[in-house]
Amino acid sequence: MTAHTALDDRARRRSIGFINWAHFLDHYVILIFPTVVIGLEAVYGRSYGDLLILSTAAFTAFGLFALPSGWLADKWSRRNMIAVYFFGTGACCALVAASDSFETLAVALFGVGLFAAIYHPVGTPMMIDAAVTRGRTVAFNGICGNIGVSIASGCTAVIVSALGWRFAFLIPAAVFVVSGLAYLRFTPNDGGRRVVQAPDQDVPLSKPLTIAVVIMFLLLAFWVGLVFNALTIMLPKLVEQRVADISLAKAGALATAVFLCGGMAQFAMGRAVERVVPHLVMSLIAAIQVLGILLALYTTGWWLLPSLALAVAAIYGQVTVNDIVLARYTPPAWRGRIYAIRFFLIFTMAGPAAWGIGWLYERGGFQVVLGVGAWVAVIGALNTFVISMLVTGVENRRKAQRREAERAQGLAQPAE
């Protein structure tokens, strides 16, 4: 290995390391407020529902600004956009901590969502370009984001209990700014980028069937986004309210444990799709998701935790499997745009989910929230089953053609 090649390889590895760290922070920061809001009820004298609606702007911005962020990065600089992500998100976190009114709090939260929206449409293409072993690199990057989701509740609860709610935003603000400075210091240019073409593993579909599958997947992103964001947002409060009398710190720790079940499910799903046709795994996991939400609807106390663990594992697993299935049945030339729209739909649903939780909670508590969530999950499962039906015939024909080719090859072999 030449000195120049070694330098490029180190630059590539540093770039991937920062992108993974940015993914972790991105999912962590967007979930600080759903835990902090539990303690703010006493501070502001407002209900959980009223306070949670404040975060609607942040979650909406998180999805809404994904598309323009990707466009701006292509026109300007991906590296610089990631720097803007670090510094902008950190500044807005500090503004949240300094807010003393509902109006400034809402504006600051909107800013957090706006700058946090930069990561996915900018960081993901950077990570894919820099990857040499793309599969493992992409998988680890996804795990980094899910760890951020998993520990956000627990870490935030500990900080709030020990130092107060403002430090739950001040500490991440400092981390973001320091990360931005380190990023500019150690990735001074775009050197080390290397585009690696992934193997084409698409299943050929007719154009009408391809369009139908893509449309159904984008519709599925709407339902998945609602359920994923709703359960992620309300889980800390749900645990705090329905489990036996526990402190905020314990509620956050238990929520973190439940979220970690989702991370483990992603490992399991990655192995499952290597052994079973992916669209069948997708259908099974969608059914398990419905079961988990229904169990959470009718359980309380410590029995609530395994129910939530099952629901979260299914939701996280479904996101992973859906990505694999979507890549399997869409042409490579379409993937970038389709994934961009899919991210946009999933993350944009966080805003309506936050608003809907607050609105429904005020009218019937979590019993109503979970009931509506179960119906949304059922619709999503039916959407999944339709996709499976559309591609089952194609998969069966592929198997038949493979058996026919193997039979013909066997007949063509000369006798011993």
Side-chain angles (χ1 to χ4, degrees):
M1 179 183 291
T2 66
H4 179 71
T5 303
L7 183 63
D8 285 350
D9 188 61
R10 285 197 297 271
R12 179 186 63 80
R13 290 176 181 274
R14 285 199 301 268
S15 177
I16 293 175
F18 274 109
I19 293 303
N20 289 337
W21 175 242
H23 196 197
F24 164 81
L25 290 177
D26 197 47
H27 285 284
Y28 179 96
V29 74
I30 205 68
L31 289 176
I32 295 174
F33 191 73
T35 300
V36 165
V37 73
I38 299 173
L40 292 184
E41 293 180 71
V43 174
Y44 285 101
R46 297 291 188 94
S47 68
Y48 171 77
D50 287 343
L51 289 165
L52 189 61
I53 290 175
L54 281 177
S55 64
T56 300
F59 287 115
T60 301
F62 189 62
L64 194 61
F65 286 92
L67 292 178
S69 294
W71 177 85
L72 183 57
D74 289 340
K75 294 293 183 181
W76 180 38
S77 165
R78 288 178 178 174
R79 171 188 176 270
N80 292 344
M81 283 294 289
I82 292 297
V84 170
Y85 155 75
F86 279 125
F87 291 120
T89 309
C92 289
C93 282
L95 185 58
V96 172
S99 298
D100 56 2
S101 69
F102 270 27
E103 291 76 17
T104 56
L105 187 59
V107 171
L109 287 171
F110 176 82
V112 170
L114 187 154
F115 286 103
I118 293 173
Y119 172 76
H120 284 89
V122 180
T124 302
M126 288 182 67
M127 179 264 303
I128 290 174
D129 284 353
V132 174
T133 53
R134 181 172 292 180
R136 281 178 289 177
T137 302
V138 173
F140 185 74
N141 177 262
I143 292 169
C144 289
N146 291 327
I147 291 174
V149 174
S150 300
I151 72 169
S153 297
C155 289
T156 300
V158 170
I159 294 172
V160 171
S161 299
L163 301 173
W165 75 269
R166 296 185 189 276
F167 280 90
F169 284 96
L170 274 177
I171 293 174
V175 172
F176 268 98
V177 172
V178 171
S179 298
L181 293 172
Y183 178 72
L184 290 177
R185 170 65 178 82
F186 293 107
T187 58
N189 52 54
D190 291 330
R193 291 182 64 205
R194 179 180 174 185
V195 178
V196 181
Q197 294 296 329
D200 186 3
Q201 297 179 339
D202 293 345
V203 176
L205 302 177
S206 65
K207 187 173 181 179
L209 185 55
T210 299
I211 293 173
V213 168
V214 168
I215 291 174
M216 293 304 297
F217 258 110
L218 294 180
L219 183 60
L220 179 61
F222 175 83
W223 306 118
V224 170
L226 279 176
V227 176
F228 177 88
N229 288 296
L231 197 57
T232 301
I233 293 167
M234 70 179 173
L235 197 142
K237 177 65 175 179
L238 179 62
V239 170
E240 188 258 351
Q241 185 180 99
R242 287 200 168 190
V243 178
D245 189 24
I246 57 175
S247 65
L248 174 60
K250 288 182 179 179
L254 291 173
T256 294
V258 171
F259 281 131
L260 287 174
C261 293
M264 290 187 289
Q266 289 188 307
F267 282 109
M269 290 304 101
R271 299 295 297 273
V273 295
E274 295 175 356
R275 294 169 170 79
V276 183
V277 179
H279 71 267
L280 297 180
V281 179
M282 182 179 70
S283 298
L284 176 62
I285 204 72
I288 294 174
Q289 176 180 292
V290 174
L291 175 62
I293 295 175
L294 287 175
L295 288 173
L297 176 63
Y298 293 107
T299 54
T300 57
W302 293 102
W303 284 108
L304 176 68
L305 296 178
S307 302
L308 289 174
L310 181 64
V312 169
I315 290 170
Y316 276 45
Q318 186 183 30
V319 172
T320 300
V321 176
N322 287 355
D323 282 340
I324 294 171
V325 177
L326 182 57
R328 184 178 174 86
Y329 297 109
T330 55
W334 294 15
R335 284 183 193 157
R337 283 166 288 180
I338 292 171
Y339 274 105
I341 298 172
R342 184 168 180 268
F343 277 130
F344 169 77
L345 289 173
I346 290 177
F347 293 140
T348 301
M349 287 305 100
W355 177 86
I357 291 169
W359 190 84
L360 292 170
Y361 184 84
E362 292 300 305
R363 284 153 182 79
F366 281 122
Q367 199 69 12
V368 174
V369 176
L370 288 170
V372 173
W375 278 110
V376 174
V378 168
I379 296 172
L382 293 175
N383 195 153
T384 301
F385 299 156
V386 171
I387 294 173
S388 293
M389 291 172 60
L390 288 173
V391 300
T392 293
V394 176
E395 290 286 354
N396 290 338
R397 286 196 296 274
R398 288 183 77 235
K399 291 179 180 178
Q401 291 170 357
R402 191 181 303 116
R403 287 195 296 268
E404 186 65 28
E406 291 173 353
R407 187 180 301 112
Q409 185 178 6
L411 292 175
Q413 293 292 332
E416 292 291 338

